[in-house]
Amino acid sequence: ELEDQLMTKSKTLDELKQSLASNGSAEQTPEAQSLRIAELCEMKDSIVNQAAQLKASMQSALEQWRAYDEIYAEVSLMTTRYLYCIDQCKPSGEEASLEALKKQVKTLQ
């Protein structure tokens, strides 16, 4: 069993050596690294610009929702007033005469 563990560790060590050797031989030149850094900086700038555009778009949407809420509140209040007026204008059985309706119109005006 100890020999099996030693063999496993030895194989793992060989794999690590091979991995290190392949990475070491594939080292990038300073020029390649600077190009990669420039590419990453461009990507970062692009993301920053996209985030700024998204923020502006979200701000615009938020302002539109605020305007909607204000207008909705006004319409709701007007609807309530109109419903109240309609309810007040309904003549009862006794007030169905023309004179009673004229009096009610004068009162509402």
Side-chain angles (χ1 to χ4, degrees):
E1 186 179 313
L2 194 54
E3 288 180 352
D4 290 339
Q5 288 179 356
L6 186 57
M7 288 297 288
T8 304
K9 298 287 183 183
S10 178
K11 286 180 184 178
T12 304
L13 184 59
D14 289 339
E15 289 173 5
L16 286 172
K17 285 180 182 178
Q18 287 176 353
S19 174
L20 182 61
S22 67
N23 286 341
S25 65
E27 278 187 27
Q28 295 181 348
T29 63
E31 293 84 14
Q33 287 178 348
S34 66
L35 287 174
R36 180 69 179 149
I37 290 172
E39 182 181 321
L40 291 173
C41 287
E42 287 178 19
M43 289 175 161
K44 181 191 78 92
D45 291 341
S46 174
I47 291 171
V48 167
N49 288 336
Q50 289 175 3
Q53 290 173 351
L54 180 61
K55 184 178 179 182
S57 176
M58 293 301 290
Q59 188 67 28
S60 173
L62 182 62
E63 289 173 11
Q64 290 175 356
W65 275 110
R66 283 184 187 141
Y68 169 81
D69 285 341
E70 290 173 8
I71 292 169
Y72 180 82
E74 288 177 29
V75 169
S76 178
L77 180 62
M78 289 184 347
T79 302
T80 303
R81 286 179 180 166
Y82 291 136
L83 290 174
Y84 175 78
C85 288
I86 289 171
D87 188 49
Q88 294 300 314
C89 291
K90 287 182 182 177
S92 63
E94 299 171 4
E95 300 174 358
S97 70
L98 182 60
E99 292 301 320
L101 290 174
K102 286 181 181 178
K103 183 179 177 183
Q104 194 171 20
V105 167
K106 284 183 181 179
T107 303
L108 290 174
Q109 289 176 344

